[in-house]
Amino acid sequence: MKSLPSADRTGPAPGRTVAVVACAAQFMVVLDTTIVNVALPSMRADLGLGAGGQQWVVNAYLLTFAGFLMLGGRAADLFGRRRMFTAGLVVFTAASLLGGLATGGGLLIAARTLQGLGAAFLAPAPLALINATYHDIQARTKAIAAWGATATAAGSCGILLGGVLTDTLGWRWVLFVNVPIGVVLVAVALAALPAFPGRARGRALDAPGAVLVTAALACASYGLSELETRPIAAPLTGGILAVAVLLLAAFLVVEARSAQPLMPLRIFRSRALVLGNTAALVIGAVTTSVMFFVTLYLQRVLGYTPLRAGLAMLPLTLAIAVASLLVRRLVQAMGPRVPLVLGWLLTAGGLLWQSRFTPGGSFTTDILGPGILLGLGLGAVVLPMTTAATSSVGAEDAGLASALMNTARQMGGGLGLAVLSAVAATSTGAAALTHGYARALLVAAALALLAGALALFMPRPAAAAAPAGRESGRRPVPAHAEPAE
């Protein structure tokens, strides 16, 4: 039985390598949720896409990503985190190349679907690798802070980068940009990442559970995406959402009875995990909706170009990154509860300020000020949310916990945007549009305050930090004692 090289166990360099690779991979995955948005008009003109085709260039990625995340997280635990990370990265990179070379709308949508599949297997592994590699709590918290800042900032960076690439090199480069990054990451992952084994010996992947949860989340995502154009009472929308509920109920029944479940229901005994994933739902809803409505306000009301709108979002992005890095000391000293409450209060304050913008607003008072306050709040939430959602489980469930958090965040984004778009629905005209966006942001502020109230029930640091295995009387297996893949 081979052991890890000593550098992978104790040297500082592999730890930095894991953090850098995790941040780069997460940036690439989250970036692709927004980078194509500004390029859609150019894609439509070049490939002859209709309105439905435009929508599916975005939704094909999001639906597949959200639907397969649970399967990707469990596969990382069973078959090895580095192995699944590399496999997902190869699929994602190849799909990006295929999409950039697409000669028709159907091929582009197929490539985006394949991208989502690769992202679902790629995304859960980096955070699990961080938790397994860093045994020192301060080093682990610092790495998670950098990962969280990257994940939160990537969505808004996609708007800016998409505008720059589309204006200078053409729409195909919003996909081609992933190829060199992916090739480098594959090489680094194979050469330098620690090889933690899977736990698949004598165990099979829960195929029925995987099919049911993937179908449930895909139906839910599709049904929610239709709410913007069809009421929930419409046969298509209501029917698909009803099917999603039935599939989810069937999934829970299967998992409760399975000897080797995809998602062991015991994981939800951790109050920190449940509240952390609740925070992930809300931060997904708030972040996605803010990016959407503020960008529309800048372009449709103030008349900004896509590139100028992307630049205007930079203060928000930078504030998120700065707060994510600064809050780590507070989390180390006090645990996740206090930073979560403070972060949600700042977020609610920023949303309330942002909701006061006017049709004749200015960048300084209507975008810059509230954007910085909002960014500080969102950034302060990311690390304690991630810590609560992933650090309170045993080593055998690390990939699953990471996938749960990512799924909650993606589903929160879809649900939040669908609901708040319905709240904002209004007639045309600058005044009406601004009023609708303001209503949506006020509802988002209420969600932030609710999340802050729930964060008061977060367990104390000692309880939150105890892995699930320790709570049940089992000693967790040290990551450095595991053999290589």
Side-chain angles (χ1 to χ4, degrees), residues 117 124 132 211 307 310:
L117 181 63
V211 170
L307 178 56

Side-chain angles (χ1 to χ4, degrees), residues 20-111:
V20 169
V21 171
C23 289
Q26 185 71 357
F27 186 87
M28 188 168 61
V29 166
V30 178
L31 189 76
D32 268 64
T33 64
T34 59
I35 194 171
V36 301
N37 290 347
V38 223
L40 286 175
S42 300
M43 292 176 175
R44 179 173 185 170
D46 196 15
L47 301 180
L49 290 170
Q54 275 190 136
Q55 179 183 357
W56 274 102
V57 170
V58 177
N59 283 349
Y61 180 80
L62 293 177
L63 293 178
T64 314
F65 187 13
F68 282 92
L69 262 171
M70 290 290 297
L71 181 61
R74 198 29 135 191
D77 289 331
L78 293 181
F79 304 118
R81 294 157 195 160
R82 186 181 70 175
R83 184 178 290 122
M84 298 313 302
F85 173 81
T86 307
L89 194 53
V90 168
V91 171
F92 185 90
T93 304
S96 299
L97 178 62
L98 179 65
L101 296 173
T103 55
L107 184 56
L108 177 59
I109 291 170

Side-chain angles (χ1 to χ4, degrees), residues 216-286:
L217 292 177
C219 287
S221 298
Y222 180 78
L224 292 171
S225 70
E226 291 293 304
L227 282 178
E228 191 173 348
T229 55
R230 293 184 176 92
I232 195 170
L236 178 62
T237 307
I240 288 176
L241 290 176
V243 168
V245 172
L246 291 175
L247 288 171
L248 185 59
F251 167 71
L252 293 175
V253 171
V254 168
E255 297 308 284
R257 296 180 177 179
S258 174
Q260 298 176 351
L262 174 70
M263 186 183 71
L265 299 184
R266 59 177 165 74
I267 199 172
F268 293 106
R269 295 172 187 167
S270 167
R271 182 163 29 121
L273 179 140
V274 172
L275 291 174
N277 278 280
T278 302
L281 276 168
V282 178
I283 200 172
V286 170

Side-chain angles (χ1 to χ4, degrees), residues 390-414:
T390 61
S391 299
S392 57
V393 299
E396 70 275 12
D397 292 323
L400 173 61
S402 176
L404 272 175
M405 188 194 67
N406 278 290
T407 300
R409 194 163 177 173
Q410 292 294 322
M411 293 303 295

Side-chain angles (χ1 to χ4, degrees), residues 293 297 301 354-359 420 423-443:
F293 291 117
Y297 170 74
V301 177
Q354 189 82 78
S355 70
R356 296 176 62 84
F357 50 27
T358 63
L420 295 179
V423 171
T426 184
S427 56
T428 57
L433 287 172
T434 305
H435 182 62
Y437 301 155
R439 283 202 311 259
L441 294 175
L442 284 173
V443 174

